[in-house]
């Protein structure tokens, strides 16, 4: 079967995710990302002709471009991700962990360890094509399922060659929690595990903390998921955390990321832990906000382990300015962003 992969967006920088895979004449779009900040190009969506779109998870840079696609285009995602679709958008269920066929192409999914209901995607064509979506091995709550072998890999390399273990990240953030802080977080992702961790840390430090309604709702949604979709041993702690009474003026706030501005929090200092938009990078450079990473993507050692698991021969490192360096570090050939890799393709 001929196979053609084209990264429409997400190559060479942190940019909206949109990947076209054409196999045996059928065309699938993997993710339909929206712009991460004003001015980022959405040209990938113009005039697009595909048989179906598959969404890995509900973060805006993977789902925010759905509104730019024809409403009649068949769209597949897991039920919890569907909650983030534009109102009224029709969708079909993608298994949270399992197999199906989409436009005649065998699709396997598994938990990606990154977000509520988020999956990786594996296409059973031409030795296997694996797309990690956003993935992480270090989540306290979200499991990562081992995928089937794949010859070609589209890899979440958001962190480039960065390789700091999450335990060190947590220690560094913990040292910054003794003064009034607001931590804006993605509700379906790091919010949930940070809530769990913050509860323990605040207790250890003897300081007050609270979470906003959106973060609370995210934890409640997590508890409604089938048990096998979250790591074991945390349910009781999450319930205790949700039942506890809390002050409305805590030292530490965990809040849904709404592009918060330092002026909105005069009593607190913003501590970001994820992707910084150019505006936030300027705020950080001016000393107005702080940033310390909480790992939610694959670091280098884990990219290496995943490539070994997959037995992959070729990789396209995505969402990074260090694609070439990552490929070299993984000692795997780089697949060009537009690739004809099928058995009946030239070369
Ligand atoms: Zn994500």
């Amino acid at each position: 079967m001929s196979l053609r992969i084209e990264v429409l967006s997400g190559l060479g920088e942190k940019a909206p995710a949109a990947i076209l895979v054409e196999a045996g004449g059928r065309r699938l779009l993997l993710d339909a990302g929206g712009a991460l900040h004003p001015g980022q190009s959405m040209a990938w969506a113009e005039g697009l002709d595909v048989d179906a779109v598959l969404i890995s998870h509900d973060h805006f840079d993977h789902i925010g471009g759905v509104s730019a696609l024809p409403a009649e285009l068949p769209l597949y995602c897991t039920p919890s991700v569907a909650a983030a679709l534009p109102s009224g958008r029709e969708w079909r269920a993608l298994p949270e962990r399992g197999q199906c066929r989409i436009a005649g192409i065998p699709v396997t999914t598994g938990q990606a360890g990154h977000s509520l209901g988020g999956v990786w995607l594996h296409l059973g064509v031409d030795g296997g094509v694996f797309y990690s979506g956003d993935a992480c091995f270090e989540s306290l709550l979200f499991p990562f399922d081992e995928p089937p072998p794949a010859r070609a890999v589209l890899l979440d390399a958001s962190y480039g060659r960065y390789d700091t273990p999450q335990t060190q990240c947590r220690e560094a953030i913990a040292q910054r929690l003794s003064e009034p802080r607001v931590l804006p977080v993605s509700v379906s992702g790091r919010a949930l595990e940070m809530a769990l961790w913050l509860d323990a840390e605040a207790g250890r430090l003897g300081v007050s903390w609270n979470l906003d309604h959106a973060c609370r709702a995210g934890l409640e949604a997590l508890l409604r998921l089938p048990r096998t979709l979250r790591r074991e041993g945390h349910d009781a702690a999450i319930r205790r955390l949700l039942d506890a009474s809390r002050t409305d003026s805590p030292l530490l706030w965990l809040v849904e990321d709404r592009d918060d501005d330092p002026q909105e929090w005069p009593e607190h200092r913003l501590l970001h832990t994820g992707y910084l938009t150019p505006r936030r990078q300027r705020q950080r450079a001016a000393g107005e906000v702080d940033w310390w990473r909480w790992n939610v993507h694959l670091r280098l050692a884990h990219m290496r382990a995943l490539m070994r698991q997959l037995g992959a021969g070729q990789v396209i490192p995505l969402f990074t300015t260090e694609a070439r360096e990552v490929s070299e570090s993984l000692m795997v050939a780089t697949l060009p962003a537009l690739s004809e890799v099928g058995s009946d393709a030239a070369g």
Side-chain angles (χ1 to χ4, degrees):
M1 189 186 282
S2 68
L3 173 66
R4 182 175 174 275
I5 297 171
E6 184 177 357
V7 180
L8 303 174
S9 174
L11 200 75
E13 58 174 332
K14 188 78 176 169
I19 298 137
L20 182 65
V21 178
E22 187 171 346
R26 309 305 294 271
R27 293 156 63 88
L28 300 183
L29 177 68
L30 309 185
D31 277 341
L36 283 158
H37 53 84
Q40 198 167 38
S41 172
M42 284 293 294
W44 69 261
E46 289 167 14
L48 192 72
D49 175 24
V50 295
D51 294 293
V53 53
L54 286 64
I55 302 292
S56 66
H57 70 293
D58 67 0
H59 291 163
F60 197 76
D61 51 331
H62 295 256
I63 199 173
V66 167
S67 53
L69 299 175
E72 62 277 13
L73 183 63
L75 182 147
Y76 294 78
C77 63
T78 65
S80 28
V81 168
L85 287 172
S87 173
R89 180 60 160 94
E90 291 191 12
W91 59 281
R92 303 175 190 184
L94 199 58
E96 276 133 344
R97 178 185 281 136
Q99 291 167 325
C100 61
R101 281 184 98 84
I102 297 176
I105 295 173
V107 176
T108 304
T109 60
Q111 293 292 294
H114 172 81
S115 65
L116 195 71
V119 294
W120 47 251
L121 301 164
H122 179 282
L123 308 182
V125 291
D126 207 61
V129 175
F130 176 77
Y131 169 48
S132 64
D134 284 347
C136 185
F137 282 11
E138 297 176 284
S139 171
L140 296 168
L141 288 176
F142 307 119
F144 183 92
D145 296 330
E146 185 168 336
R151 196 162 70 116
V153 174
L154 296 144
L155 189 63
D156 173 16
S158 296
Y159 292 162
R161 287 166 296 168
Y162 162 89
D163 207 11
T164 303
Q166 178 73 315
T167 46
Q168 284 180 35
C169 298
R170 286 191 208 126
E171 282 165 21
I173 296 170
Q175 287 171 16
R176 289 157 175 83
L177 299 181
S178 53
E179 60 174 299
R181 292 283 191 182
V182 169
L183 292 85
V185 285
S186 153
V187 163
S188 73
R190 66 170 62 84
L192 310 185
E193 47 188 314
M194 285 187 79
L196 200 57
W197 173 80
L198 206 52
D199 194 40
E201 278 305 308
R204 190 179 65 80
L205 296 168
V207 301
S208 58
W209 80 284
N210 205 343
L211 67 174
D212 70 357
H213 179 74
C215 292
R216 178 172 284 275
L219 283 167
E220 287 163 351
L222 177 75
L223 288 178
R224 284 195 300 272
L225 279 183
R227 280 183 96 90
T228 53
L229 297 183
R230 53 186 183 274
R231 291 196 193 274
E232 285 177 27
H234 300 300
D235 287 14
I238 295 171
R239 287 201 182 91
R240 265 200 313 275
L241 179 167
L242 287 169
D243 288 345
S245 62
R246 298 183 189 283
T247 169
D248 288 335
S249 51
L251 189 78
L252 308 171
W253 264 118
L254 190 70
V255 301
E256 179 182 27
D257 192 345
R258 295 174 186 271
D259 213 11
D260 300 83
D261 202 79
Q263 283 77 48
E264 294 165 42
W265 296 96
E267 309 297 325
H268 291 71
R269 193 168 165 85
L270 289 171
L271 173 56
H272 295 292
T273 52
Y275 168 74
L276 292 177
T277 60
R279 180 170 154 272
R280 285 183 173 170
Q281 288 174 31
R282 289 193 296 274
Q283 290 175 343
R284 185 185 177 214
E288 295 166 7
V289 301
D290 294 319
W291 176 84
W292 201 271
R293 179 174 280 157
W294 174 283
N295 292 352
V296 292
H297 296 279
L298 295 167
R299 58 187 173 88
L300 187 62
H302 295 160
M303 287 194 257
R304 243 183 227 129
L306 180 56
M307 294 301 284
R308 269 198 306 275
Q309 280 179 14
L310 291 161
Q314 294 175 303
V315 67
I316 303 181
L318 298 167
F319 321 133
T320 177
T321 54
E322 297 183 3
R324 184 177 53 80
E325 293 87 344
V326 167
S327 292
E328 284 170 7
S329 299
L330 297 176
M331 292 187 291
V332 178
T334 308
L335 204 57
L338 172 57
S339 310
E340 308 276 350
V341 292
S343 48
D344 59 352

